[in-house]
Amino acid sequence: MFRSRRARIRSTVTAIAATGVLALTACAGGSGDEGSDGPVTLDFAFWGNDVRAEMYDEAIAAFNEEFPDIKVNVSFLGFPEFWEKRQIESTSGGLPDVMQFDYSYLRQYSENGLLLDLGPHLGEGIDTDPIDEKILDIGVVNDTTYGIATSTNAWTLYQNPKLLESIGAAPYEGGGSWEDYTDWVQATTDAAAAAGQPIYGGTDFTGRIQNFELQLRAQGSYLFNDDGEPGFDEDDLRAFWEQGAPFREGAGVPQQRLEEVYPLSGFDSAITASELTWDNFGAGYLGNLGEGYTELLLVEPPITEEGAKDLYLKPSMLHTISANTEHPEEAVELLNFLVNAPEVGAAFGTNRGLPASETQLEGVELGGLEAQIQEYEESISDRLGDPPAVPIVGYGSLEEKFRVIGTDLGLGVVTVDEAVEQFFTEMDVVLNQ
Amino acid sequence: MTATTAARPIGTRRQPTRKRVATIVWAVALTLLTLLVLYPLVWLVFSTFKPSSEFGSNPGLFPESPTLQNYVKVAEGIGGTPLWRFFGNSLLIASIAVVGTLISSSMAAYAFARIRFKGVGVFFAAMIGTLLLPFHVLIIPQYIVFQKLGLIDTYVPLLIGKFLAVEAFFVFLMVQFIRGLPRELDEAARIDGAGHIRTFVSIILPLIKPALITSAIFSFIWTWNDFLGPLLYITSPEKYPLPIALRLYNDATSTSDYGATVAVSMLALVPILLFFIVFQRFLVAGVATQGLKG
């Protein structure tokens, strides 16, 4: 209104031109790093904390000594944020070249074509000799290898010897039946009460889906098969959750007490003397328990069926390469180094679990706990069966639902029947996605 | 208070006591309520002096064996990046965001409030409509655009919107403010030969200062606390702002350093607290003036 028509047209043209220039500059920025034969830059992402970040720095420095022409941009986040970011990136082909990867996402990402088929590189760029066949199989989805496991862990029963000593109780010997273990927990809780200490024998094991899986495997079944079909029905689940009744009636630590210390577990907080979990949790336990505790005990979990191969080795993490990488050869070099190099073993110790590759294991100086874990994994070798099918899409949320229902059972807000119904409803939703 | 005292000629003996009792009851109740609300903050302050291993065993307020170790640890930085770097990044992003928001939002607001261009009503409604659009709907398309433009791992995706007046809340706030200013001022300026730019800079801007300050404060606090944006667009740890950095001490899959987490959370709160204390006078004034006309 204030200005003439011509002036207005002029300003409109300027505005359009300016927008165009902006867009052009932006485009130029996008194609900047193409067509260079010299140094190659790879993006590498992992989840972890400051401690692990320093270990990776050391590992990448060792890699650069061998491959000075490959520059590695390292990026890291906490576990949930890491996956949030990957989920968004995967929509636009923006995934990092090499990734530390979690087993539970392997199926989803590989079935969506986001990961590089490592098959042609096995034995070529990736040295497979030092890795057990069974462990290599872990990274296979629908007959194609998409990931290499860095390390493995197995299900175990951790105990806190110092805590047991303080209440004058003997540790659980390992094995035995689930009832034996329940009785031992009750006895330990009683002993603690007699000693006047607010300590408990253990946590309700029916809160963890892995214990359910263990019992199913012992009976020749599984949680989910490759087609995503469950290997159990309502009655199986009901029977399992009913085993937890003695714990909820006072044998184990009250759920309310556990809520107070969450996100730490009862075992982390020195209020329970035993916990069933993955064997790579040991270092974390010691860290969270603090300086007063230096020793842990690990024994095999209770046996459901004598002679059954119910335990298995799970990858604590894998390494994968994104399908859209511009430098697959170099990415393979990096992956191979991270999986096999003894220098990497030296940098990490067992931070990522017990190294799966023998050459990498050679670089690891096994301390007290690490040696114990290695011994443990050797001791259970005749109970080790084939790994289960790669987790179905949505397994993570089912595992979490299982945990939440376990908490509700512990708090007494749902009955076992209601719990079973809730879980099956959730499972329907996840399986039919 | 004084007004009531003056207007109370009879029965002055009893009433003050009753009044005083009521006041005391109110004060006590409010103090208790404040303590209740502030407790998490106080807990945070005290917890920064707890050793990490105490977090499981002692959920109480006071540390059993107080230590400065958490601050020492935090000062060392994360994975080779010093802590001040994260502060610097946050400060840089937040400052540029404030500048961008003020410039672009005030210009957009001026246009909406004072210029009668074609489709002003539709555009205004569309702008208000964006307030109803959840951010999560936009994430993926936005990410793809910035990814194709090669702008990932730069601050451009975080800041460009601030210079394009995409924060409808601020635009709306300023539009309402400008609408409250008498048009005669503009007309007087126009008679003196001022164009839009002159009117905007010399007449409107000085008059909407309270709205500008309010926007600046909110914009600063929101950007400082923003987590999702930097999480998506920033890849290099040395470019992370504080909200991302403070999560790096926690790893659900191995050890979590709760001591360091609370210490760095505490430090991250300080600038916001300072910013608020310095500007709270303006903030209250800004909010209070929003309802006034003319």
Side-chain angles (χ1 to χ4, degrees):
Chain A
M1 286 171 295
F2 287 4
R3 282 194 273 162
S4 71
R5 193 191 183 97
R6 216 176 49 208
R8 204 160 63 207
I9 291 171
R10 195 174 344 130
S11 61
T12 313
V13 169
T14 322
I16 291 170
T19 319
V21 169
L22 205 76
L24 281 174
T25 347
C27 289
S31 54
D33 45 39
E34 270 172 28
S36 56
D37 282 323
V40 163
T41 303
L42 291 178
D43 287 325
F44 169 67
F46 67 93
W47 69 86
N49 54 7
D50 53 323
V51 179
R52 185 173 288 163
E54 275 164 32
M55 294 173 169
Y56 266 116
D57 280 349
E58 210 177 301
I60 300 292
F63 175 74
N64 278 337
E65 267 176 37
E66 212 170 308
F67 301 94
D69 275 353
I70 306 178
K71 188 180 176 304
V72 183
N73 278 340
V74 180
S75 151
F76 74 107
L77 289 163
F79 186 80
E81 297 86 35
F82 177 91
W83 287 107
E84 204 173 331
K85 192 169 163 106
R86 297 291 93 77
Q87 300 283 48
I88 304 280
E89 283 173 349
S90 62
T91 58
S92 68
L95 286 173
D97 300 285
V98 183
M99 290 166 276
Q100 178 179 305
F101 218 78
D102 190 62
Y103 197 35
S104 55
Y105 288 91
L106 190 62
R107 183 180 290 272
Q108 185 192 338
Y109 279 68
S110 52
E111 286 183 353
N112 287 339
L114 296 165
L115 301 178
L116 188 75
D117 174 5
L118 299 179
H121 304 282
L122 292 178
E124 300 281 321
I126 302 169
D127 191 5
T128 49
D129 291 339
I131 307 173
D132 193 276
E133 194 68 32
K134 235 179 213 167
I135 295 174
L136 282 174
D137 281 348
I138 294 173
V140 176
V141 183
N142 304 332
D143 300 325
T144 311
T145 304
Y146 289 105
I148 307 287
T150 61
S151 45
T152 55
N153 44 54
W155 198 244
T156 189
L157 176 62
Y158 264 107
Q159 298 179 67
N160 187 333
K162 187 178 171 185
L163 212 57
L164 286 168
E165 205 177 302
S166 74
I167 54 173
Y172 185 67
E173 275 179 24
S177 68
W178 291 95
E179 289 80 22
D180 292 343
Y181 173 62
T182 309
D183 291 344
W184 175 85
V185 169
Q186 177 76 63
T188 309
T189 302
D190 292 345
Q197 295 206 49
I199 294 170
Y200 305 87
T203 313
D204 181 2
F205 65 82
T206 61
R208 298 289 297 267
I209 201 167
Q210 285 82 1
N211 289 317
F212 185 42
E213 182 178 32
L214 207 62
Q215 296 195 2
L216 288 171
R217 281 170 64 90
Q219 293 151 8
S221 190
Y222 43 81
L223 277 179
F224 298 99
N225 64 8
D226 254 322
D227 301 323
E229 282 156 8
F232 57 95
D233 57 21
E234 276 102 332
D235 291 335
D236 295 327
L237 186 55
R238 191 174 301 117
F240 177 71
W241 267 330
E242 270 160 9
Q243 292 172 38
F247 282 88
R248 300 193 276 272
E249 283 155 14
V253 56
Q255 187 61 42
Q256 220 160 332
R257 187 77 183 88
L258 289 177
E259 297 297 322
E260 286 171 20
V261 297
Y262 188 82
L264 293 178
S265 78
F267 196 82
D268 279 312
S269 324
I271 55 175
T272 59
S274 72
E275 189 159 287
L276 281 148
T277 188
W278 297 108
D279 61 12
N280 62 329
F281 271 55
Y285 281 149
L286 284 181
N288 288 332
L289 281 165
E291 283 161 11
Y293 298 86
T294 50
E295 251 183 274
L296 293 175
L297 205 62
L298 63 170
V299 298
E300 57 176 305
I303 297 167
T304 318
E305 199 112 348
E306 206 61 54
K309 294 201 180 295
D310 52 349
L311 295 173
Y312 62 92
L313 290 177
K314 178 190 103 109
S316 53
M317 58 186 70
L318 307 107
H319 278 306
T320 58
I321 298 177
S322 101
N324 62 281
T325 179
E326 285 171 23
H327 314 286
E329 298 300 323
E330 287 80 2
V332 164
E333 298 282 14
L334 177 61
L335 182 141
N336 183 48
F337 191 85
L338 289 173
V339 171
N340 282 318
E343 293 94 322
V344 177
F348 281 96
T350 53
N351 178 279
R352 305 189 299 175
L354 204 64
S357 153
E358 272 169 36
T359 47
Q360 184 165 110
L361 190 61
E362 277 164 23
V364 181
E365 252 180 72
L366 292 175
L369 186 67
E370 288 89 358
Q372 268 178 293
I373 294 174
Q374 194 189 18
E375 250 170 62
Y376 169 72
E377 289 198 6
E378 277 165 15
S379 77
I380 54 166
S381 57
D382 38 327
R383 253 182 98 175
L384 285 179
D386 292 331
V390 176
I392 52 166
V393 175
Y395 176 75
S397 66
L398 280 179
E399 185 182 347
E400 175 62 9
K401 183 73 185 173
F402 200 94
R403 192 193 67 77
V404 170
I405 293 179
T407 321
D408 287 348
L409 279 169
L411 290 171
V413 292
V414 292
T415 64
V416 170
D417 285 326
E418 287 163 355
V420 171
E421 200 189 311
Q422 273 185 29
F423 188 76
F424 271 80
T425 312
E426 180 82 12
M427 206 166 76
D428 263 351
V429 175
V430 170
L431 296 183
N432 295 326
Q433 256 172 13
Chain B
M1 281 278 239
T2 37
T4 15
T5 329
R8 206 177 46 217
I10 339 164
T12 39
R13 281 284 142 75
R14 284 188 62 97
Q15 265 189 344
T17 9
R18 206 167 63 200
K19 223 163 167 134
R20 204 175 304 142
V21 171
T23 315
I24 290 170
V25 170
W26 270 113
V28 170
L30 287 178
T31 314
L32 285 179
L33 212 64
T34 314
L35 282 181
L36 192 72
V37 174
L38 276 183
Y39 182 78
L41 195 66
V42 178
W43 185 88
L44 179 77
V45 175
F46 279 97
S47 292
T48 58
F49 300 106
K50 285 182 189 173
S52 250
S53 56
E54 215 179 294
F55 280 82
S57 51
N58 173 23
L61 185 60
F62 299 105
E64 276 159 16
S65 36
T67 169
L68 281 174
Q69 198 50 43
N70 294 331
Y71 286 102
V72 175
K73 165 109 202 266
V74 161
E76 284 169 7
I78 304 168
T81 310
L83 186 71
W84 62 261
R85 188 74 190 255
F86 301 123
F87 268 97
N89 293 341
S90 272
L91 205 63
L92 178 76
I93 300 174
S95 313
I96 299 180
V98 168
V99 173
T101 307
L102 291 190
I103 296 175
S104 64
S105 302
S106 58
M107 281 164 64
Y110 176 79
F112 276 129
R114 283 294 195 257
I115 306 176
R116 250 179 263 134
F117 54 95
K118 225 177 237 166
V120 58
V122 177
F123 283 124
F124 191 72
M127 182 202 68
I128 297 297
T130 62
L131 277 177
L132 305 173
L133 201 63
F135 178 56
H136 299 86
V137 176
L138 299 172
I139 294 179
I140 291 178
Q142 235 175 42
Y143 182 86
I144 295 176
V145 169
F146 286 119
Q147 208 264 334
K148 297 287 176 219
L149 291 176
L151 292 172
I152 299 300
D153 206 25
T154 68
Y155 293 143
V156 176
L158 301 178
L159 294 172
I160 192 158
K162 315 281 180 191
F163 285 89
L164 297 174
V166 293
E167 297 268 19
F169 175 76
F170 297 130
V171 179
F172 181 65
L173 194 143
M174 292 183 203
V175 167
Q176 292 308 94
F177 215 91
I178 297 174
R179 280 183 182 160
L181 303 174
R183 264 179 192 276
E184 289 78 7
L185 294 173
D186 298 35
E187 279 156 14
R190 193 176 153 195
I191 290 165
D192 286 345
H196 276 308
I197 294 173
R198 187 77 208 207
T199 317
F200 172 64
V201 174
S202 308
I203 311 289
I204 301 293
L205 269 191
L207 286 172
I208 60 167
K209 216 191 267 161
L212 290 177
I213 291 170
T214 312
S215 305
I217 293 171
F218 279 119
S219 174
F220 185 87
I221 295 177
W222 289 351
T223 320
W224 183 273
N225 287 334
D226 185 22
F227 179 77
L228 195 59
L231 173 69
L232 295 182
Y233 293 117
I234 307 299
T235 313
S236 313
E238 65 270 15
K239 288 183 191 159
Y240 284 165
L242 267 173
I244 308 255
L246 69 87
R247 297 288 289 268
L248 296 179
Y249 287 103
N250 275 318
D251 177 18
T253 57
S254 64
T255 38
S256 290
D257 195 336
Y258 294 101
T261 309
V262 286
V264 78
S265 310
M266 179 66 217
L267 292 176
L269 266 180
V270 171
I272 288 276
L273 226 54
L274 287 179
F275 197 86
F276 185 77
I277 290 171
V278 171
F279 286 100
Q280 67 155 338
R281 214 157 36 92
F282 301 105
L283 188 67
V284 174
V287 173
T289 16
Q290 267 181 64
L292 298 182
K293 288 272 176 182

